Amino acid sequence: MDNNLLLEMKQIDKHFTGVHALDQVDFAVRKGEIHALMGENGAGKSTLVKVLTGLYGKDSGQIIFDGEERSFPTPQDSQNAGISTIYQEINLIPHLSVAENIFIGREPKNVFGIDWKAVRSQARQLLLDNGIDIDVTQDLATYSTAIQQMVAITRAISQNAKLLIMDEPTSSLAEDEIQVMFEKMRELVAKGMSIIFISHKLDEVYTICDRATILKDGKLVGSYDIDKISRLEMVSKMIGRDASNVLKRSVGEYEAKEGTAALLHTKDIDNRVKLHGISIDIRPGEIVGVAGLLGAGKTEFAKVVFGCDNTYTGEIEVEGKPIRMNTPKGAIDLGFAYCSEDRKVEGIFPHMSVKENMTITALSRISKFGVVDTRKQKEIVDKYIDSIRIKTPSPDQLICNLSGGNQQKVLLGRWLSMDPKLIILDEPTRGIDVGAKAEIEALIKQFSENGISVLYISSELEELIRNCYRVVVIRDGMNSGELTGEDITEANIMNYIAKNMKETEEAHG
Amino acid sequence: MAEGRQKAQVYKTVLNEHLKKFGAVYAFLLLIIINAISNENFLAINTMWNLLIQAFPIIITSLGMLFVISSGGIDVSVGSVMAVAGGMNAVIMNGIYPAFPRSIFLGIVMALVVSLMFGFFNGFMISVFNMQPIIVTLTTYIIARGLTQLIANGKILSFSNTPFNAVGVLRLPGNVPIQFIIEILFVLITAFVIKRMVFGYQVQAIGENPQAAKLCGIQTTKVQIMVYMISSFIAAIAGLLVSSRTSAADPTNLGALAEMDAIAAVAIGGTSMSGGKSRILTTVISAMIIQLITITINMNNIHYAYARIMKGLIIIIAVYIQQDKKR
């Protein structure tokens, strides 16, 4: 069996200043298998991958790839050896054309330099082979995330990769797009390629993977055949405690808040681009879920409510008073808070400390004549590091050194310190491991108990079902249905999405 | 052996971090030592005072530039704004325009007002119309210089025997030059604003991540306009003091290339050119390094052109050291 291994990493050790990121980790991938790399955030998955791809150097250990001991001082070296990576955030260049993105750095040449005709025709052929028919001369940015993802895969395949690493490739894809990707993955594996698949979604891992390696706190927990380990076992190995109550559903806790006046009332919100008439009411302390496919207008609606898009038409009332939402500052002054789906681009200040990141919005409240009261600032930070259990060596640690789950908690702390009336959470558990996910969901419950309303946007139906009192389903920028209490089920939500799809098809047909 | 390599790796990282933080200090000390050896008069207190007087415009304009660069922008109009301030004050003081009474007070006020207007224009175009900072401030650079030449009618405006002449050469008890006091004052104010005031945090947050800053309710437009006005205000003070010390405002040469020295000081000081964390102390030390290079070259009778080449090399080395070498 040993000569069937494509990759063997032995006793890999890696330190960062003050952190033992990888502690004697062994990891092996067989030829032609899809191997899941699992673990909570901060377990060392990405560090291991980065050591493999040459982004980080290892302190000690051995890498055997394709039968030879190798070292990859730079990402270029690992690529040349046949290792391709597709990151969660697509690492392509948005303002180059699709064709240029596929061939960048290895363009076919003719006597005049780059042979653009060949670039275009070959790119087009490669994409067609993958079942994608698009104009390759357009900027990559003009296409949807799903298409961009497929372009990234096409690029990787065309490099004759022996090993493909996929770091949460499905996090921004819709269900049918994920299925297409899975099919593609099975094809590649059938041709003898190996895939390392990093995902937080157990369903996906159980659908597509052959084996799984679990890491925890930089150490190897073990490698398992997928069909020999139950989901519950896997989760408890990842978080190192009994997982039976982590994933428990709590349908019984739903509470109707009928009768109380709405905190936020929106009617016929329309921005003529993605929103074509959405109406949602939220009562104090209510958790209202928003479900819908990618591109249905969930995030766009949140942005209107938070004052980021003042081109909208429609009614917004807060506590019964009609209000025009113009700026985020205005929304914050009304007691609104917004955790964006894109932590990196719209959330954190990467090279600022946990303390600064958490208190940036609260500063004007804890200052006199523009001078910050550092004692109060420290109080806030200590309070939330403690109460929402943020794992950080110190409040002065740069936030970019924290795991995704802890970054998200810092951002929650940022908004909690404002005593908000309404928190808009846009995909609050995206890119976060199971353990932290459960903690964040528990926090959201607490918000509601403390009278804070929550607008919960998620593409994970399970999450909405577990946490929401009421779920509004939207489709193509319009309300398509609403479910409460026991009626909130996956089937019902799907139904609302699907029923409307049929109607639209008929209307168009 | 692996252990040895690991140790070497750790030492390398520690050394890197150390150089990042204190590289400017070492370069500064090195220049002092070189000068002390090659010139026995160098360590005299008067040489130090002279260094602080000559470095004055670089030191204070680099503090203004620090705000701008931390916010993710850049201001190349600093030198021209120095000129317009110096020129504006000189024409009013000399009573060239009958519309304005001959008054030092009015001269200074007008110099500040005009400079602040340029700063406001910079900030407004950049934040409201989303224009590139380098383009906007480049136009201000041209316009302010042109305006200075226009009001001075192309001539060097000299003045003598006014109380204003005395300011630039004023020495406090102990022979302490007024420039030193102003430098200390500006450094302390800058440190306070950046480390303790809401505004300071907001400037750095905008530089780090403008989109997130907006979503945190920071009024980015207001903050950016303020930042450019601060830079212009400080440039005006620098222009006024330089013209007072030299008893003249030269519309062509006053403040020429000052923006480059200021930008260089911030860069050597280790503040990221794409914005974020402001480094105050190293910026000030770097400003002195830049002046020291010129002094070193002068004292050793080397052609001034070498000073420029030296500055260029030092900037590129410094920025290389400051770079994040994560990989």
Side-chain angles (χ1 to χ4, degrees), chain A residues 345 348 351 356 361 370 372, chain B residues 196-198 208-209 215-216 277:
Chain A
V345 177
I348 62 168
H351 300 99
E356 290 163 335
T361 37
V372 178
Chain B
R196 291 295 309 274
M197 292 192 70
V198 179
E208 267 281 295
N209 188 344
L215 287 173
C216 286
K277 210 82 196 151

Side-chain angles (χ1 to χ4, degrees), chain A residues 159-174:
Chain A
Q159 290 169 323
N160 297 318
K162 292 175 189 143
L163 176 65
L164 183 63
I165 302 167
M166 305 176 91
D167 190 351
E168 295 209 44
T170 59
S171 56
S172 40
L173 298 187

